[in-house]
């Protein structure tokens, strides 16, 4: 019974000492490092021309930083530029034709058609008078029948020319038909679409950066043939 106090006293002393040390502990170490863990997402893309052709220019190298929309390369576009110039010239010419059709006949054109009709009328009158004189001469046997037949043929020809000139004058006064104007307008639309297609192809000869980043590798060089299936950067 006298041994229990001898065992409990050291245990109580140990607990009391631990409590004292905890209450009087020193400040935390200021050099303590805060470590955070996570993932960094790096996006890598392969850049290629949308068109086919020979590379004329490459403007960046490995390790170079680029911005979104920056031009990185250029294909040889000489052929497309010439084709576009021709297409735009055709569009301009067809626009002039459409403007002429929409405006109708000019007063000068109507006067010209009227002058041709008047000349044809005068020619018919002259040949008719000649035919009448020749008929009297043939009846009196002063002129061969063959010459009279030739004059009749000339009269038929003059009358045909008169009918043609009268029709030309009528059309000039009416102006172009709506069907003809619509056909010219449709042709203009086709030419404009062809020019727009060439402009799109010309834009495809440029290689632009889709976003900001750093060039890791330059795979092709100037003079190489490029295609959508062959990455450049």
């Amino acid at each position: 019974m006298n041994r229990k106090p001898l065992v409990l006293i050291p245990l109580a002393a140990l607990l009391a000492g631990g409590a004292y040390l905890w209450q009087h502990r020193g400040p935390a170490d200021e050099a303590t490092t805060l470590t955070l863990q996570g993932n960094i997402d790096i996006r890598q893309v392969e850049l290629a021309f949308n068109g086919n052709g020979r590379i004329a220019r490459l403007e960046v190298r490995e390790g170079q930083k680029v911005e979104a929309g920056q031009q990185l390369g250029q294909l040889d576009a000489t052929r497309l530029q010439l084709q576009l110039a021709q297409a735009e010239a055709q569009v301009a010419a067809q626009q002039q034709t459409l403007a002429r059709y929409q405006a109708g006949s000019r007063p000068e054109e109507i006067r010209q058609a009227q002058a041709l009709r008047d000349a044809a009328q005068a020619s018919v009158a002259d040949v008719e008078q000649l035919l009448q004189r020749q008929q009297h001469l043939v009846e009196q046997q002063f002129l061969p029948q063959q010459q009279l037949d030739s004059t009749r043929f000339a009269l038929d020809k003059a009358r045909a020319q008169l009918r043609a000139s009268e029709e030309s004058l009528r059309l000039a006064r009416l102006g172009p038909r709506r069907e003809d104007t619509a056909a010219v307008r449709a042709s203009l639309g086709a030419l404009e679409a062809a020019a727009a297609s060439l402009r799109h192809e010309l834009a495809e000869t440029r290689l632009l950066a889709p976003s900001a980043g750093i060039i890791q590798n330059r795979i092709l060089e100037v003079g190489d043939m490029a295609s959508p299936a062959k990455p450049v950067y």
Side-chain angles (χ1 to χ4, degrees), residues 24 32 36 51 74 97-98 103 140 155 160 172 175 187 201 223:
H24 295 82
T32 301
L36 300 178
Q74 173 73 56
T97 301
L98 179 59
Q140 297 175 5
L155 179 59
S187 178
E201 289 187 45

Side-chain angles (χ1 to χ4, degrees), residues 158-192:
R159 287 172 176 171
Q161 290 177 344
L162 175 59
R163 289 192 295 270
S165 63
E166 288 175 341
E167 181 66 13
S168 297
L169 177 59
R170 185 183 71 85
L171 294 177
R173 287 171 174 169
L174 288 175
R177 294 183 302 176
R178 285 181 294 179
E179 295 84 353
D180 295 336
T181 303
V184 173
R185 185 180 291 109
S187 178
L188 174 60
L191 291 174
E192 288 176 337

Side-chain angles (χ1 to χ4, degrees), residues 62-196:
E62 293 89 345
Q64 185 171 341
K65 183 178 180 180
V66 298
E67 301 297 332
Q70 179 178 340
Q71 180 167 319
L72 309 179
Q74 173 73 56
L75 295 179
D76 184 6
T78 304
R79 176 183 58 84
L80 290 174
Q81 289 170 345
L82 293 175
Q83 290 179 346
L84 178 59
Q86 182 180 9
E88 289 177 339
Q90 292 174 342
V91 168
Q94 196 69 359
Q95 286 174 338
Q96 294 296 324
T97 301
L98 179 59
R100 187 169 65 251
Y101 271 63
Q102 290 175 331
S105 301
R106 294 179 299 177
E108 296 84 358
E109 294 174 337
I110 296 176
R111 286 196 295 269
Q112 182 180 13
Q114 190 169 2
L116 293 174
R117 190 277 313 270
D118 294 343
Q121 285 178 338
S123 178
V124 169
D126 291 341
V127 177
E128 286 176 344
Q129 292 178 359
L130 177 60
L131 182 62
Q132 290 176 358
R133 290 195 300 269
Q134 288 182 348
Q135 284 176 340
H136 290 295
L137 294 175
V138 170
E139 291 173 356
Q140 297 175 5
Q141 298 183 350
F142 290 122
L143 195 68
Q145 182 66 35
Q146 183 179 2
Q147 189 168 350
L148 181 62
D149 293 339
S150 298
T151 303
R152 285 173 178 167
F153 176 77
L155 179 59
D156 292 339
K157 184 177 179 180
R159 287 172 176 171
Q161 290 177 344
L162 175 59
R163 289 192 295 270
S165 63
E166 288 175 341
E167 181 66 13
S168 297
L169 177 59
R170 185 183 71 85
L171 294 177
R173 287 171 174 169
L174 288 175
R177 294 183 302 176
R178 285 181 294 179
E179 295 84 353
D180 295 336
T181 303
V184 173
R185 185 180 291 109
S187 178
L188 174 60
L191 291 174
E192 288 176 337

